[in-house]
Amino acid sequence: MSRDEKTIRIAPVTRLEGHGELTVKLTKAGKVKDVQFNVSSTRFFEKFLEGRFAEEAPRIAPRICGICPEPHHLAATKAVEAAWDITPPPAAVKLRRLLINAKQYSSHALHFFALAAPDFLAGPLGDPALRNVVAIIKALPDVGKMALEVMQFGQELAAAVGGKAIHPVTSTPGGMLNPFSEEKRDEFLKRFEKAKEQTLATVTLAKKVVQDYWDPITKLAVTPTYYLGMHDKGNLEIYDGNLRVMDPTGKIVADFKPKDYRKYYGEYVPNHSYATHIYYKPDGYPKGIWRANSLARCNVADKMATPIAQEALQEMRDALGRPIHATFAYHWARIIELVQAIEEIEGLLKDPDIVSKDVKLSDVEPKKGDGVGCVEAPRGTLLHHYWTDEKGIITKVNMVVATNNNIAGIEKSLMDAAKQIFEDKVHESLQLPDPMIK
Amino acid sequence: MRSRFALLENLLDEAGFDVRRVHLQWASAAEGDVFAEGITNMVERIKKLGPNPVKVGD
Amino acid sequence: MVKRIALVQLSSCWGCDQSLVDLHLRLLDVLPELDIVYWPAVVDYKLADLEAMPNSSIHFGFVEGSCRTKEDEHLLKVVREKSKVLIAWGSCSAYGGVQGLGNQWTIEELLDRKFMKADTITDPRIPEENLPGFTNHIIPNPEIVKVDAILPGCPPTSDNTAEALTALLTGKPYDLPNKTVCDQCPMERKEKIIKKFKRTHEGKIEPGICILDQGYLCLGFATIGLCGAQCPTVNTPCKGCFGPPPKIKDHGAKVISALGAIADMSPDELKAAFPDPIGSFYFTDYASSYLSKIRGKQRSEAKK
């Protein structure tokens, strides 16, 4: 490093799930030379799943993430079912949809209230001691209580279906090990009305935040990238569907079954991050860098699958267009997805099949083969690919986990933001509201 | 006991240890010759295998 | 009196933190007692802030995760220095965690699969710039620094964490119970003679009857009883993720020992039933097993 350069290191990046540091290199003239998002840990699940009974993968893989274990639990199950040519009973699929939506709901609420909201309620220039959910709970107790209750509904519903919310256990190749009882169904139907009310209250809060922060949202880190997301006949979908890739102009350049992913997924290993950079293979790296997660899903889908969420999506598109490149709009898209999650939960709880006892095949046999299991986790498209031998023992694993899809895009948006801040001094003229927490 | 040993052999093998270095021999107090023969066979086998690549706290 | 608390994350999944958050409204009772001085998951203080604190100035340090990178090792040592009481929080921290299964291979083999050979990789290399580097072998935290208490679990339930926190805050003792999952399990038990083992997806697990009696490998009999038998309660075999009861040093060895007693099968049949003993008999605690530790010593001798 030359004497004239300056290196800024943020260690660690906080309110992040996982381990990351940020390295920004500035030239003497104050120009941004380089921005690195250094993801500094990985645990090698792709290797230590080798040699394991494949039906144990749905128990092991959720340990990849304590916030989104349900998607891993289900992607692992689907991968084994694909490898062994198994179709689970329809009622089991409905239970799995209930499980993944319960998790989508609690995770999106956790992100909004605990990870994102502190910046908006205390302000980006606020005291670090106040910029966290603990301070929110203290300063805005009604908001804090509502946040906890919203998360509780999702987590307890996930536990009711999955056995436990953190590292669920009931999904297995062939179906579910435990049906959903009528008692539980009735309990959650009763609690549902309040949850729906609170969801709509969260939407109102989110809209206020968007209004107050309109200037930074539309100015900072508006980063054109490709987008990846799952859909079912054009509707935003998180359990089972095809994948779409949209280019920065808004053109859908690919629409494929997850099992064909290797034609479209490129994985570039950067020298400065243990999390790799995923990109749209036909267009090369770095041009094809894509982002996944809420905004990407909202970009690639024609519409939401449920009515109130669709109204909310239309509102966002009326304001910001399609595709939306504004990085901060991810928070808005996340709230739109929160609405779809509660609407899907409503539909499933009211479906008489949800308490069916016919939720598992009893004649599941392993075979030699390979299979891809793909779902949408809260943070993005999650893909597990397993190869098994004739005994059903895993011989090889390839995974592209949800957040993995976003690493390159995060770095790109950070580069944009760094230039805007260090070179253009944009932050000095941003219109920011008076913080709610001081 | 044999069952435990069978599973232990599997485990040693998977954990990367040479199962030929482990031997289970039944012998009662009155069967000194059985015991001695078992030990002699084991020693010969170990000598052929050479020093254990795994050494602890040398 | 408000206690200063730090929550530190090594290589882990964040599940223990999520379990704390899942106290939900009970958090409103606990939070006023705590001055959270370091918790990167939720609060914006940086590593430099932690490093600058005076030694033993934090009342309770909770460390989640295990040492997969050199940065993890550094962070573990820092939080040990700065904390009066250090708690190994969760099975990763107490026993190495599921990533301990990686000890079956060398770090070179692990890196090779992930960065050089994985099927979607277009530009293979082992990343090195501005990154900490990996440990050769996962060694459980209690063998790297002195740990004052362990709270196992994958994750510990919200109740487990609340009880432990309450005990710490009120200065009362907190001992791990000398119980197994069977003590908490609602299933009906009979005499154990198993003639054939079935894999989880095979047949149908009948509700209400001991899962091990039905021939499925449920490790509850050798696993500490802290979780409330969450998995057997929903018809799912226990995988032993909370680790062994106190005093048992090698979880898998204990399982093998017990299986030898209850399996009415020939040694060959038993061998054939478990082609993956590491995966079947260990889960979050392979790094704490004798065989893994021997391997670890060998690897560190070889690297010198």
Side-chain angles (χ1 to χ4, degrees), chain C residues 148-152 160 163-168 171-179 184 224-226 244-247:
Chain C
D148 301 302
I150 71 166
L151 181 58
N160 295 152
E163 272 174 44
L165 256 178
T166 306
L168 287 168
K172 296 215 169 64
Y174 181 81
D175 289 317
L176 291 178
N178 200 9
K179 287 194 153 77
Q184 303 185 309
I224 189 173
L226 263 180
K247 298 176 200 161

Side-chain angles (χ1 to χ4, degrees), chain A residues 324-347:
Chain A
I324 298 171
H325 296 304
T327 302
F328 285 112
Y330 263 92
H331 300 308
W332 194 351
R334 193 164 289 120
I335 297 305
I336 295 171
E337 288 194 321
L338 186 74
V339 176
Q340 173 158 321
I342 199 69
E343 290 184 278
E344 296 268 36
I345 288 169
E346 178 173 18

Side-chain angles (χ1 to χ4, degrees), chain A residues 18-130:
Chain A
H19 288 254
E21 284 92 39
L22 191 61
T23 307
V24 180
K25 291 198 185 118
L26 302 173
T27 65
K28 187 178 172 194
K31 294 275 179 236
V32 177
K33 186 170 161 186
D34 194 20
V35 166
Q36 291 179 353
F37 183 39
N38 312 107
V39 176
S40 51
S41 180
T42 187
R43 284 164 293 151
F44 308 107
F45 278 79
E46 280 168 323
K47 187 65 183 175
F48 69 69
L49 277 170
E50 285 179 17
R52 313 277 88 94
F53 283 150
E55 72 277 11
E56 297 300 318
R59 304 292 295 275
I60 301 171
R63 271 73 186 185
I64 291 172
C65 178
I67 302 188
C68 65
E70 282 75 9
H72 284 289
H73 186 52
L74 297 175
T77 309
K78 288 174 79 183
V80 180
E81 288 179 340
W84 295 355
D85 262 319
I86 295 167
T87 308
V93 172
K94 289 183 179 179
L95 270 183
R96 291 177 186 172
R97 297 183 69 88
L98 185 57
L99 182 61
I100 202 172
N101 275 288
K103 171 41 61 177
Q104 178 91 324
Y105 187 73
S106 71
S107 171
H108 276 3
L110 175 75
H111 193 286
F112 179 74
F113 288 110
L115 305 182
D119 286 330
F120 298 101
L121 298 181
L125 303 167
D127 179 0
L130 294 178

Side-chain angles (χ1 to χ4, degrees), chain A residues 145-215:
Chain A
K145 186 161 181 274
M146 181 177 80
L148 293 172
E149 286 177 340
V150 167
M151 293 191 271
Q152 183 174 12
F153 179 81
Q155 288 295 85
E156 289 185 355
L157 180 55
V161 179
K164 48 193 180 105
I166 308 170
H167 307 322
V169 301
T170 52
S171 175
T172 200
M176 301 292 275
L177 290 164
N178 202 44
F180 196 48
S181 72
E182 287 178 24
E183 257 174 340
K184 293 258 175 201
R185 186 270 312 271
D186 294 342
E187 180 203 323
F188 281 95
L189 260 182
K190 233 200 275 176
R191 291 169 65 176
F192 170 81
E193 288 310 323
K194 184 171 186 198
K196 193 167 180 182
E197 256 173 54
Q198 289 176 323
T199 307
L200 298 174
T202 304
V203 172
T204 305
L205 176 61
K207 282 207 250 197
K208 174 167 169 30
V209 167
V210 165
Q211 235 174 10
D212 288 350
Y213 281 89
W214 190 251
D215 206 34

